[in-house]
Amino acid sequence: YTIGFTGLTGPHPLAAPIVGIAPTPNGQGYWLVAQDGGVFTFGNAPFEGSGAGQEPAPVSALVSTADAQGYWLVDQAGSLLAFGDAPPAG
């Protein structure tokens, strides 16, 4: 994938629009999250999993843990899906 003014491009088109971005705590990377729960990493942001197909409602945000070794996906109904060292929060 490459980043451009219109979003991600490359041999694998996006299945849903990008709806959120979260920086790593040290500012050396970031995550993008798509409405379907797909997660895209850049810089030192680790990939800990994807919520694609797991969220009943469209995803609206990604929130990183303090150590950047995990994240939560937040859907529009307020549910959280935990990845990496992010503890399940209900």
Side-chain angles (χ1 to χ4, degrees), residues 52-86:
Q54 296 183 40
E55 286 292 330
V59 170
S60 58
L62 182 148
V63 179
S64 171
T65 58
D67 66 1
Q69 297 304 305
Y71 42 83
W72 295 273
L73 298 184
V74 183
D75 74 15
Q76 291 178 0
S79 298
L80 298 175
L81 191 61
F83 294 91
D85 69 358

Side-chain angles (χ1 to χ4, degrees), residues 8-84:
L8 296 172
T9 60
H12 306 288
L14 291 175
I18 298 296
V19 294
I21 185 170
T24 57
N26 67 6
Q28 301 287 316
Y30 59 94
W31 296 269
L32 294 178
V33 63
Q35 192 173 41
D36 67 354
V39 175
F40 305 90
T41 62
F42 298 88
N44 72 338
F47 180 77
E48 298 294 344
S50 171
Q54 296 183 40
E55 286 292 330
V59 170
S60 58
L62 182 148
V63 179
S64 171
T65 58
D67 66 1
Q69 297 304 305
Y71 42 83
W72 295 273
L73 298 184
V74 183
D75 74 15
Q76 291 178 0
S79 298
L80 298 175
L81 191 61
F83 294 91

